[in-house]
C-alpha cells in the first residue's frame, strides 16, 4: 500500500470559478493566471478547466511552451515580459503576448525588425501606480505610451493594453482598500490612450471592485477557489479546486496532563484520544501550524494538537468515536478551506497551495 497522502485536483471547479468571475465582471474579458504551475495544481491537470478563459497569463517562457504543447491555442501573456532578445524571439515563436514594464524591454522590442514578426503580439504596458514593484512611473510613462501607440499603429499590431496591479484590494476593511484602488484606476485611465484597453483586476480587484477591473481582468487565486483576503471563497460562489487529504495511521490514548509532540507544546486537559496523520512539513503542511488548526475527520472538525513534524502530525479526535486507523483526514479542501488553514498559520492560501511537496501524489478528478 502506498502512503495514503494525496492531493486531488478538480478542473471542473476551475471552470465553474471562471464562469462565476465572468458573471461578476460582466463584459470584462478574463485572463486566468496560471503561474507557479497553476498555483501548485499542475498545468496538465487544470488545462481542461481553463476552457472558458479568454487568455492565460504565466511567468516564464517554458510554461508558455507547456501550455502550447497541451493544446492551448488562445492568447498567452508573459506577465514579467521577455528577459532578453532570445526570450523575445521564443515568445514570438510560441505566439505569446507580453508585458513591457521598463525602458530596456521597450528598447529590445524596438531593436527587432517588426516585419519579421510572423506573430504580431499584443503588448501590455505596465504602470506602477502604487505597488512599487514593476512598471513605468506615471510621471514618466507618457513617452513610452506614445512610442508604443505609434509603433503598433504603423505596423498594424494589435491594440496595446495599459495595465497596473492593485496593491490593497485584498484588505479586510473596505474603507481602507477602495480609495487606494480608485486612485490607481484614475491614474491609469488618465494616461490611457482612447483606443487602448485596460487591465487592472487581479483576484481581489475582480471580486471586490468589478467596476474597476478594466477591459481585461487577471484573476489568479480566485480561479482555484480560494481568496486573496479574509473573505471566504464560498461568499463569492467559488469552489475549491484542490482537496488535500491523508489518513489516520495510529491512535494514541492520552490521559489528562499528557503532552504531545516535539517540545511538549500541547497538554491534554482531560483524558482522550490523539490520532497520528500521515502528513508533515516535508509534504508541505506548515510546521508552524498552531494548536487548533482545523482538519476534518468522519464528519467533524478535528484540531491539530502538538507541533507538526517532518512526516506526521497529530490531531485531537477525542470527540470523534468513529475516527480510527484508516479514516480519511481532510487537511484542506471541501470542508476546511485552504484560506482558513492559512489564516491560522499566519500566511495566505497561495503559499500553501504552491508548497505541496513533490513526494505527494497528485490525482485529477
Amino acid at each position: 500500500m502506498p502512503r495514503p497522502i494525496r492531493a486531488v485536483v478538480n478542473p471542473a471547479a476551475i471552470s465553474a470559478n471562471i464562469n462565476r468571475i465572468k458573471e461578476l465582471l460582466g463584459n470584462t474579458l478574463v485572463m486566468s493566471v496560471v503561474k507557479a504551475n497553476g498555483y501548485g495544481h499542475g498545468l496538465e491537470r487544470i488545462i481542461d478547466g481553463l476552457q472558458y478563459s479568454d487568455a492565460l497569463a504565466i511567468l516564464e517562457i517554458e510554461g508558455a511552451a507547456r501550455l502550447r504543447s497541451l493544446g492551448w491555442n488562445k492568447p498567452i501573456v508573459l506577465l514579467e515580459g521577455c528577459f532578453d532578445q532570445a526570450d523575445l524571439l521564443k515568445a514570438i515563436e510560441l505566439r505569446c503576448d507580453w508585458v513591457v514594464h521598463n525602458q530596456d524591454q521597450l528598447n529590445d522590442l524596438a531593436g527587432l525588425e517588426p516585419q519579421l514578426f510572423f506573430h504580431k503580439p499584443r503588448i501590455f504596458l505596465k504602470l506602477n501606480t502604487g505597488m512599487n514593484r514593476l512598471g513605468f512611473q506615471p510621471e514618466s510613462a507618457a513617452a513610452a505610451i506614445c512610442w508604443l501607440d505609434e509603433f503598433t499603429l504603423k505596423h498594424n499590431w494589435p491594440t496595446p493594453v495599459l495595465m497596473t496591479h492593485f496593491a490593497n484590494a485584498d484588505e479586510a476593511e473596505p474603507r481602507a482598500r477602495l480609495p487606494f484602488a480608485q486612485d490607481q484606476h484614475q491614474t491609469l485611465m488618465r494616461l490611457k490612450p482612447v483606443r487602448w484597453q485596460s487591465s487592472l483586476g487581479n483576484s481581489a480587484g475582480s471580486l471586490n471592485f468589478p467596476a474597476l477591473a478594466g477591459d481585461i481582468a487577471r484573476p489568479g487565486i480566485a480561479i482555484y477557489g480560494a481568496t486573496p483576503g479574509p473573505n471566504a471563497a464560498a461568499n463569492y460562489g467559488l469552489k475549491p479546486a484542490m482537496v488535500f487529504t491523508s489518513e489516520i495511521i495510529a491512535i494514541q490514548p492520552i490521559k489528562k496532563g499528557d503532552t504531545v509532540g516535539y517540545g511538549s507544546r500541547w497538554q491534554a486537559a482531560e483524558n482522550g484520544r490523539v490520532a497520528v496523520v500521515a502528513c508533515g512539513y516535508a509534504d508541505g503542511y506548515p510546521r508552524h501550524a498552531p494548536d487548533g488548526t482545523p482538519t476534518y475527520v468522519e464528519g467533524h472538525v478535528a484540531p491539530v494538537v502538538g507541533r507538526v513534524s517532518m512526516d506526521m502530525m497529530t490531531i485531537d479526535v477525542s470527540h470523534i468515536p468513529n475516527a480510527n486507523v484508516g479514516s480519511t483526514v481532510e487537511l484542506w479542501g471541501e470542508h476546511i478551506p485552504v484560506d482558513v488553514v492559512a489564516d491560522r498559520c499566519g500566511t495566505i492560501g497561495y503559499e500553501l497551495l504552491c508548497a505541496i511537496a513533490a513526494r505527494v501524489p497528485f490525482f485529477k478528478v
Side-chain angles (χ1 to χ4, degrees), residues 51 138 182 213 240 272 298 308 318 352:
Q51 58 185 312
Q182 288 174 326
E298 300 290 358
V308 175
S318 303
L352 300 189

Side-chain angles (χ1 to χ4, degrees), residues 107-136:
N107 293 343
D108 285 341
L109 182 63
L112 290 178
E113 293 294 333
Q115 64 267 28
L116 298 179
F117 284 38
F118 72 88
H119 164 68
K120 295 182 177 182
R122 182 181 300 277
I123 303 300
F124 289 66
L125 193 142
K126 188 163 192 176
L127 289 181
N128 173 17
T129 60
M131 188 73 170
N132 285 310
R133 293 190 312 188
L134 302 179
F136 290 85

